[in-house]
Amino acid sequence: MRSALAFSILAAASATAAAQGFPPAEAAARMRVADGLESRLVASEPLIRQPVAVDFDDRGRLWVIQYLQYPNPKGLERVEVDRFSRTKYDRIPDPPPKGPRGSDRITILLDDDGDGVADRTRDFVDGLNLASGFAFGRGGVYVLQAPYLLFYADRDRDDRPDGDPEVLLSGFGMEDAHSVANSLTWGPDGRLYGLQGSTVTARINGIEFQQGVWRFDPETREFELFAEGGGNMWGLDFDRDGECFASTNVGGNILLHFVRGAYYWKQFAKHGNLHNSYAYGFFDHVPHESIRGGHVSVGGLFYEADAFPSEWRGAYLAADLLEHAVRRHSITSDRSSYRGGQRGDLLEARDSWFAPSDLTLGPDGCLYVADWHDARTAHPDPDADWDRRNGRIYRIQPTGFRPREIADLDASSTEQLVEMLSHSNQWFVRRARRLLIERRDPRLIPRLSGIVDDCGGRIPCVEALWVLAGIGGLDAGRAAAWIDHPDPATRSALIRLTADRPEIASKISSRFEARARSESVPRVRSHLAHLAGVISDAERSIGLIRALAARSEDADDPMIPLRLWWSLEKTISRALIDDPGDSAARLAPFRAFISPGRGSERSKIVDEFLAPRVARRILAEATPARMSWFLERIAEEADPLHRERLATAADQATRGRTLEASPEAVARLVALEPAPWESTSLTSLLARAGSTTAREVVVRDLLDSRVSETRRAAFARVLAEIDPTRAVRELTRFALDDSHPVLRDAAFSELGRFDSTETTRSLLSTYDSRPESVRRSIRASLSSRASSASKLLLEVEAGRIASSDFGLDEVRRLVLLREGADAIEVGKLVSKHWGRLQPATPEEKLAEVRRLNNDLRAGSGDRASGKRLFRENCSGCHILFGEGTGVGPELTHANRKDRDFLLTSLVAPSDVIRREYRSIDVALDDGRVLSGLPVAGSNDPLILIQGVDRRISIEKSRIEEIKESSSSLMPEDLHRRFSPSQLRDLFAYLQSETPTPAERGSR
């Protein structure tokens, strides 16, 4: 959603929408709906307002949360609000009814005459304070109201709570009403699942997380973070096989496929890294093609019913909030995961006030759409005056559809519910499954077991298995008997259910290992990969992992290699925690993952994927014992390519640290034939581990101009670690030499380590004669510590360096330098030459946008020239049509047609940049302050991007403080590089629909 600046600049364009939108009936009539379907109004203001979640109870009645308290909780005082809209409050409120009484309510819509339109409403509960989700079950209603998961019992079914709610969970984040816990949904396993979005932090039962999928077992009261990451999600559903999916708000994407125990993309710059420092990877969104529209996908669900034409079955339907529509998508298997494609629209509202907030499938097979109904799509000031008068719910139905009465499912017999598992409408299947699990009738176990045994009957065997496990009927004997079940969906469900019961998994682990060798379906193998981490016995766990890793066809699978790693990482962590002495015996089980030894059968998954991660994990704490053990493993590896792979992983994992290893281990590697000096990584590793010969090679090759710049740049870093005195001298010389740019940039990256008066003097003496890109490197290097920054600013004071050379982002970083005489001097000089660090006012930026708009209107641009300008100025950070680097936001699916928004992004990048692309400022223990964009998922070392081709690694132990920067990596004055004609050329390319055939061929 747009920032406040962009919204204010563009507000004039939407001035015509100042009045309330179309009346409810007219809004329904304006909708363009897919062929064979039509839209009907079910409810509207004043009956309901601001609907945020809708669902049907077991009697077929529609319920809605009216989110009227949004965006601020009642009765709490704001202590602090940051630029990400995260709010700190003065206290944690008590749960209702003891806590502050808010305006939210959960309301039942009542249709007295059976025409499918609500005639009146009845509040089940009111006075809620930011209630964001609900679900029916166990004789009551589960309600999400951050920080709580509540249960309101209504066992007499009189539509009134039997008493005060029971607090089931406490600790969900409440810092931002846009991203609180939401989408309460029953999973096929009988547990409640939910989402949590991007700008809140939960702390529940000792588990901390931001974005993620969580689940709660009402029977055992166990809470679990099912998967971490995912962005600001709102909308959770399961497909026919019980696989989990969530809607997303990240441009160019629609949904994520979630599996248990996995890690997913998150907004790393905003929240930091994944909570597992050793995840070493994460899953991204489901690849999607042909996306059009806004970047906010809401309330997505699979249409699995019988009212719509048959071609709609299995379609994924998701609301497009920013484009006022509901889109249709196809989701198809891609080995162990999925890929998607947009396949048209279910409806287009043709109404800028239509703001779909949730979708639900009805017992009649129709789709119900909640409409928040507001023209505002930006995150406003928290004190903005909201229009809370509006809200609608529509039914998308077959043309000529007539509503029909739905029987009360709770009155159904157990046998009727079992038969309902074969219903053509998943609404009935899911509720029958839930009710059967709630009843926990042990007499059902033989009947359900028979259905699973006799696969192919009318009732799907996988549905019988879900219920059987839910009522306690899955034991080791049945699990062992069904490992080779003919139905892949049933095998997959069995493995997931067994992973919830580690005692069963351990008993029959050998059967799972045998299955791994013969399993033909990638998705089943993926769930086996997770199961391996559940097995606590290291030998059995490793046996299953190795069986799966031997499947070479899975080397490029989208999920299996990482899921194998996460299971192996659990086993390694258990071993290392249990053995503080780092004995070789504890590391022995992992030897085959590092180097299988001569004559052993090689595995691509092990060699190329698992082995480097095992190296990084074991050396995350590079004790002398672990370092020696690892060097011995490299020495016994016969394959030079794999030896290089291991050395590279070890060098990266230990970068910036002093290494110790036994002389015998080092000598064994040095004595290899052929000698290891051809390997840059191995030479670096040995030099840092104390090898005199390796150190001689580092210095020799660093000083040899015939050696590749890449190798010399790597050795520049090593020299800075092993011989600081010589490094200062040599690196300063390289920084002054523009004839070797790669080596020069490496020198600048390392020189910041050292407080050298001579280096500062040398760099400043050549400043005037260097190109701007090098000048910026000089400023960045000298600005990282107060002593050199003061000398840099004295050059400004003397008039030898122009204050206009410094961008606002550079000046901001100068004032972050720590206390001390030099830092005080820096502060004084900054105040003198730049005054208060205020960016241009919104009015000044708006004037600049208007000026550039006039330049763009003066003529048409040349697309080919624009592409060249994009390559030269933008592709280092952005991707467009598959070309470029993904440091900044991907532009292909961005809102490029909106010229005002593009111009605003160009003029004021720090104000409109998406929050996950903001840089951070890192204060180190040696007084330096470094700035850059953190590499997604990097933890130790923390890797910062400081330019197109420049990255710096920071050892975690050296970090004293991390602050989110208010600056974008994109310079504030980038637009000044372009003449009016060049700007027209650039925009001609940026706003083009697709690359031409010639452009595709020129990549």
Side-chain angles (χ1 to χ4, degrees):
M1 297 189 181
R2 292 171 175 156
S3 71
L5 169 70
F7 191 79
S8 65
I9 289 177
L10 300 174
S14 60
T16 56
Q20 188 169 329
F22 299 107
E26 184 179 348
R30 287 181 60 85
M31 290 180 177
R32 181 186 291 121
V33 185
D35 290 346
L37 303 174
E38 60 186 5
S39 174
R40 287 289 181 267
L41 184 69
V42 173
S44 63
E45 66 271 4
L47 279 182
I48 62 162
R49 295 173 293 143
Q50 304 231 255
V52 75
V54 289
D55 199 6
F56 285 86
D57 66 12
D58 296 343
R59 291 182 252 186
R61 302 177 304 174
L62 185 59
W63 293 44
V64 57
I65 289 182
Q66 300 185 67
Y67 203 38
L68 298 168
Q69 187 59 49
Y70 171 87
N72 299 306
K74 185 76 171 179
L76 303 184
E77 294 293 327
R78 260 198 318 270
V79 175
E80 179 184 335
V81 181
D82 71 10
R83 69 175 184 276
F84 297 126
S85 301
R86 291 182 295 217
T87 302
K88 290 183 180 178
Y89 295 104
D90 60 339
R91 60 194 171 91
I92 301 296
D94 289 330
K98 298 181 177 129
R101 183 175 171 81
S103 301
D104 295 341
R105 54 190 61 214
I106 298 178
T107 302
I108 311 168
L109 303 183
L110 301 172
D111 175 11
D112 294 328
D113 54 11
D115 64 354
V117 178
D119 299 300
R120 57 190 175 92
T121 63
R122 176 187 300 151
D123 286 341
F124 175 74
V125 62
D126 61 7
L128 298 177
N129 205 3
L130 292 183
S132 54
F134 69 106
F136 306 102
R138 293 179 174 257
V141 184
Y142 295 86
V143 176
L144 275 172
Q145 177 184 293
Y148 304 109
L149 174 63
L150 308 169
F151 179 70
Y152 285 90
D154 181 22
R155 293 186 172 85
D156 59 6
R157 309 185 80 207
D158 65 351
D159 295 336
R160 296 181 181 85
D162 297 340
D164 291 350
E166 180 184 1
V167 176
L168 301 177
L169 295 172
S170 177
F172 288 106
M174 54 183 301
E175 300 96 318
D176 182 4
H178 298 97
S179 53
V180 289
N182 64 86
S183 303
L184 207 53
T185 305
W186 287 104
D189 54 5
R191 303 190 189 197
L192 270 175
Y193 286 70
L195 303 173
Q196 181 168 276
S198 60
T199 42
V200 297
T201 297
R203 296 176 181 89
I204 302 172
N205 298 346
I207 301 172
E208 177 180 305
F209 67 101
Q210 290 85 34
Q211 305 138 25
V213 178
W214 53 270
R215 66 178 181 173
F216 173 75
D217 188 337
E219 187 69 24
T220 64
R221 304 300 177 93
E222 178 187 2
F223 172 84
E224 177 188 350
L225 179 59
F226 184 77
E228 182 184 352
N232 197 20
M233 303 165 289
W234 203 290
L236 177 69
D237 198 26
F238 296 85
D239 70 3
R240 288 295 295 264
D241 292 340
E243 297 285 340
C244 181
F245 296 83
S247 305
T248 184
N249 74 329
V250 179
N253 299 282
I254 298 297
L255 77 167
L256 300 108
H257 169 213
F258 280 97
V259 292
R260 187 183 177 207
Y263 300 92
Y264 288 78
W265 176 94
K266 61 184 287 194
Q267 292 164 313
F268 295 100
K270 188 190 303 186
H271 290 300
N273 295 292
L274 297 163
H275 284 72
N276 180 359
S277 301
Y278 314 115
Y280 299 154
F282 55 88
F283 295 144
D284 212 323
H285 298 75
V286 170
H288 221 82
E289 63 182 14
S290 307
I291 294 177
R292 66 184 180 88
H295 73 263
V296 177
S297 172
V298 178
L301 57 79
F302 289 92
Y303 183 80
E304 293 287 357
D306 48 6
F308 286 15
S310 59
E311 63 267 20
W312 286 85
R313 184 173 286 277
Y316 186 76
L317 307 177
D320 186 337
L321 178 67
L322 295 188
E323 294 295 320
H324 321 292
V326 178
R327 311 290 189 191
R328 175 183 180 179
H329 308 269
S330 64
I331 308 298
T332 56
S333 290
D334 179 10
R335 293 159 295 175
S336 71
S337 189
Y338 299 84
R339 62 177 48 251
Q342 193 163 310
R343 301 294 180 250
D345 300 324
L346 176 66
L347 75 83
E348 285 190 327
R350 297 189 287 181
D351 176 2
S352 62
W353 281 65
F354 178 74
S357 55
D358 196 20
L359 308 177
T360 194
L361 180 65
D364 52 13
C366 299
L367 186 78
Y368 289 75
V369 182
D371 175 12
W372 178 267
H373 203 70
D374 199 314
R376 180 177 283 156
T377 56
H379 290 196
D381 184 297
D383 294 319
D385 185 19
W386 278 83
D387 182 354
R388 296 182 174 86
R389 295 172 297 171
N390 310 314
R392 289 94 187 265
I393 297 175
Y394 301 96
R395 180 174 58 249
I396 310 304
Q397 62 184 36
T399 304
F401 175 84
R402 296 192 178 281
R404 56 182 181 268
E405 186 176 349
I406 304 298
D408 184 353
L409 265 64
D410 193 59
S412 302
S413 69
T414 297
E415 183 56 35
Q416 287 172 324
L417 291 176
V418 171
E419 290 297 317
M420 215 174 284
L421 295 175
S422 64
H423 203 287
S424 58
N425 182 350
Q426 272 282 304
W427 186 90
F428 289 94
V429 175
R430 296 181 184 195
R431 278 147 189 82
R433 185 200 299 145
R434 193 202 80 228
L435 288 167
L436 287 168
I437 291 174
E438 287 176 11
R439 293 181 183 182
R440 296 186 69 84
D441 186 348
R443 294 172 297 177
L444 269 180
I445 292 176
R447 169 83 194 279
L448 295 171
S449 296
I451 294 172
V452 179
D453 284 333
D454 300 332
C455 184
R458 189 168 43 81
I459 298 173
C461 44
V462 68
E463 292 294 346
L465 179 59
W466 290 122
V467 176
L468 178 71
I471 66 175
L474 182 62
D475 55 21
R478 290 188 175 92
W482 292 331
I483 285 175
D484 298 321
H485 197 281
D487 175 45
T490 301
R491 293 199 302 275
S492 174
L494 175 72
I495 292 162
R496 282 177 279 165
L497 289 166
T498 306
D500 290 336
R501 298 157 176 80
E503 70 285 355
I504 295 179
S506 296
K507 280 182 183 178
I508 58 173
S509 61
S510 60
R511 295 295 308 277
F512 285 119
E513 185 176 334
R515 185 71 226 171
R517 301 183 196 283
S518 61
E519 178 56 59
S520 61
V521 179
R523 196 165 300 125
V524 179
R525 296 199 294 271
S526 175
H527 292 307
L528 281 169
H530 169 71
L531 179 71
V534 172
I535 300 170
S536 58
D537 182 273
E539 184 178 350
R540 293 177 179 178
S541 174
I542 288 173
L544 181 52
I545 292 171
R546 294 189 67 181
L548 289 162
R551 303 292 295 263
S552 59
E553 65 268 38
D554 291 333
D556 62 349
D557 185 88
M559 284 192 159
I560 291 173
L562 257 179
R563 295 194 84 184
L564 284 171
W565 162 244
W566 291 326
S567 287
L568 182 56
E569 190 275 322
K570 287 182 183 178
T571 305
I572 295 173
S573 292
R574 284 193 290 260
L576 297 181
I577 290 171
D578 291 344
D579 182 37
D582 288 337
S583 68
R586 280 290 181 180
L587 296 174
F590 313 111
R591 178 173 182 166
F593 290 103
I594 294 289
S595 179
R598 298 177 186 272
S600 300
E601 186 175 344
R602 308 297 300 217
S603 162
K604 188 175 182 181
I605 293 178
V606 171
D607 281 2
E608 298 182 10
F609 196 89
L610 296 180
R613 286 168 170 80
V614 173
R616 290 172 64 185
R617 176 63 187 93
I618 290 176
L619 298 179
E621 296 177 14
T623 63
R626 292 189 198 178
M627 198 71 229
S628 300
W629 181 87
F630 184 78
L631 293 180
E632 289 169 0
R633 302 290 76 74
I634 296 180
E636 67 188 20
E637 173 55 50
D639 181 357
L641 177 63
H642 189 53
R643 188 187 301 152
E644 173 69 12
R645 191 181 291 127
L646 294 173
T648 299
D651 185 42
Q652 291 174 346
T654 59
R655 191 166 291 178
R657 306 181 204 173
T658 301
L659 299 181
E660 293 182 48
S662 69
E664 294 80 11
V666 173
R668 187 175 174 188
L669 265 176
V670 171
L672 283 176
E673 291 292 344
W677 314 128
E678 289 297 318
S679 166
T680 300
S681 295
L682 191 50
T683 303
S684 300
L685 196 64
L686 285 169
R688 294 169 53 229
S691 167
T692 302
T693 307
R695 293 185 173 195
E696 291 171 352
V697 172
V698 165
V699 175
R700 181 196 71 196
D701 286 5
L702 175 61
L703 302 180
D704 188 344
S705 60
R706 296 168 298 179
V707 174
S708 74
E709 277 198 75
T710 302
R711 182 174 170 94
R712 295 176 75 194
F715 286 164
R717 171 182 57 79
V718 177
L719 185 64
E721 295 182 21
I722 63 175
D723 191 348
T725 302
R726 184 165 192 172
V728 172
R729 182 174 68 252
E730 302 297 351
L731 294 178
T732 301
R733 183 165 61 87
F734 296 143
L736 299 173
D737 184 0
D738 291 338
S739 62
H740 299 286
V742 174
L743 184 57
R744 179 198 64 204
D745 290 347
F748 274 119
S749 294
E750 300 303 325
L751 275 173
R753 294 170 177 259
F754 310 110
D755 189 5
S756 167
T757 302
E758 183 58 37
T759 297
T760 301
R761 185 182 302 115
S762 298
L763 293 178
L764 289 174
S765 68
T766 67
Y767 181 90
D768 225 23
S769 61
R770 311 293 288 276
E772 171 52 29
S773 60
V774 178
R775 290 185 185 186
R776 189 171 180 89
S777 292
I778 292 174
R779 296 195 300 270
S781 181
L782 299 183
S783 296
S784 65
R785 65 173 72 245
S787 56
S788 54
S790 63
K791 295 179 176 62
L792 172 66
L793 294 189
L794 285 174
E795 294 294 295
V796 177
E797 173 78 357
R800 289 186 288 271
I801 294 178
S803 61
S804 59
D805 282 7
F806 290 74
L808 183 60
D809 57 328
E810 295 176 281
V811 183
R812 281 173 175 155
R813 288 171 195 140
L814 285 167
V815 299
L816 295 173
L817 294 169
R818 298 302 179 110
E819 296 179 1
D822 288 323
I824 293 171
E825 179 69 15
V826 168
K828 290 178 180 178
L829 291 171
V830 167
S831 296
K832 179 178 181 179
H833 291 280
W834 288 277
R836 291 181 63 210
L837 295 181
Q838 296 291 340
T841 66
E843 291 76 15
E844 290 169 333
K845 292 175 181 177
L846 178 56
E848 187 71 355
V849 168
R850 287 171 174 164
R851 182 185 71 79
L852 296 175
N853 239 325
N854 290 333
D855 289 342
L856 290 174
R857 293 191 188 103
S860 58
D862 178 70
R863 182 165 158 168
S865 175
K867 181 176 182 179
R868 288 193 295 273
L869 289 168
F870 174 82
R871 281 179 168 173
E872 294 167 2
N873 297 278
C874 312
S875 64
C877 291
H878 299 284
I879 296 173
L880 179 59
F881 303 139
E883 181 177 17
T885 305
V887 174
E890 209 270 342
L891 299 181
T892 308
H893 303 296
N895 192 18
R896 293 181 290 111
K897 288 298 181 184
D898 190 334
R899 188 169 69 188
D900 285 335
F901 184 68
L902 280 182
L903 281 174
T904 303
S905 301
L906 195 60
V907 170
S910 294
D911 294 320
V912 301
I913 190 73
R914 282 185 64 81
R915 292 159 177 165
E916 61 267 34
Y917 295 108
R918 290 187 184 271
S919 58
I920 60 174
D921 301 311
V922 183
L924 303 183
D925 57 5
D926 62 3
R928 285 184 292 158
V929 176
L930 302 175
S931 299
L933 185 72
V935 172
S938 68
N939 191 358
D940 194 3
L942 173 65
I943 301 172
L944 295 183
I945 300 172
Q946 293 188 314
V948 175
D949 296 314
R950 186 169 169 184
R951 299 188 176 201
I952 186 167
S953 298
I954 305 171
E955 186 181 350
K956 189 176 179 181
S957 62
R958 304 198 61 188
I959 297 174
E960 289 192 346
E961 187 178 7
I962 296 178
K963 290 184 177 180
E964 296 158 337
S965 173
S966 58
S967 301
S968 163
L969 284 182
M970 182 173 164
E972 294 273 345
D973 58 353
L974 179 64
H975 63 286
R976 303 190 190 281
R977 299 182 188 178
F978 307 119
S979 67
S981 63
Q982 287 177 321
L983 191 69
R984 289 192 289 272
D985 293 344
L986 178 62
F987 269 63
Y989 183 62
L990 287 177
Q991 295 195 283
S992 56
E993 284 286 353
T994 55
T996 65
E999 287 169 345
R1000 283 194 293 268
S1002 66
R1003 289 179 191 164

